[in-house]
Amino acid sequence: MFLPPDHFQLFDLPPRFALDIAALDSAYRSVQGQVHPDRFAAGTAAENRVAMQWATHANEAYRTLKSPIKRAAYLCERAGLPINAESNTAMPAEFLMQQLQWREALEAARTDRDLAALQALDEGMASERDRLLSEIGRALDVDSDHAHAASLVRQLMFIEKFGTEIASAVEPLRDSRASA
């Protein structure tokens, strides 16, 4: 049975939110060079299967650690506090009120076809994303407060999804201005 190592152990990196992405990239290339299935093409079926499992695990571990949201969620899960975004939708009241304001601003900008307002909202989301990432880093790496980090990750997931909605609203306006 294939029991993959912890993602951080696989790449010989410290289990922290603040991660040296260049070191991750280098470690990933090194691991892939060792476990890539092409290296085992002449091997037995069992060797090929194990190589494929290792390569798959390395790819998944890399994608997880490369993404700040996935990395934070993984660190929370390692600490026994899974994000459970589908079933745990509890958010601080202040954040819920902010969500309503953002949604109203998005709807008004869509209705008015106001590209400047959409871009301002997008910039606000980028700023909020940066703030949350910083706070998640502090919660995980300094305070070891995984429960707080999990709550912040759920908020960040909303911000990411909302950013996609903003982009969807911006695109048709940019297209219509470009063709005008």
Side-chain angles (χ1 to χ4, degrees), residues 60-132:
E60 176 60 29
Y62 178 71
R63 282 190 299 273
T64 297
L65 297 184
K66 185 98 172 172
S67 162
I69 291 176
K70 290 179 181 179
R71 183 171 60 247
Y74 183 72
L75 284 163
C76 290
E77 289 168 16
R78 284 178 84 238
L81 292 162
I83 301 302
N84 295 331
E86 301 81 27
S87 60
N88 185 351
T89 57
M91 299 271 183
E94 181 179 301
F95 187 74
L96 293 173
M97 291 302 295
Q98 183 64 62
Q99 280 184 33
L100 288 173
Q101 291 171 355
W102 286 328
R103 290 220 171 271
E104 288 170 0
L106 175 59
E107 203 48 49
R110 268 190 182 136
T111 300
D112 296 342
R113 300 183 53 80
D114 187 344
L115 184 58
L118 287 168
Q119 289 171 330
L121 191 55
D122 191 44
E123 289 171 12
M125 288 302 101
S127 176
E128 182 65 10
R129 180 183 191 275
D130 291 345
R131 184 192 70 75
L132 283 170

Side-chain angles (χ1 to χ4, degrees), residues 108-167:
R110 268 190 182 136
T111 300
D112 296 342
R113 300 183 53 80
D114 187 344
L115 184 58
L118 287 168
Q119 289 171 330
L121 191 55
D122 191 44
E123 289 171 12
M125 288 302 101
S127 176
E128 182 65 10
R129 180 183 191 275
D130 291 345
R131 184 192 70 75
L132 283 170
L133 286 170
S134 176
E135 199 171 332
I136 288 168
R138 187 172 43 258
L140 290 170
D141 293 348
V142 176
D143 302 334
S144 294
D145 187 349
H146 293 86
H148 183 57
S151 174
L152 295 170
V153 169
R154 285 190 291 277
Q155 292 176 40
L156 184 57
M157 292 169 82
F158 168 83
I159 296 297
E160 290 290 316
K161 184 177 177 196
F162 192 67
T164 302
E165 290 179 44
I166 294 169

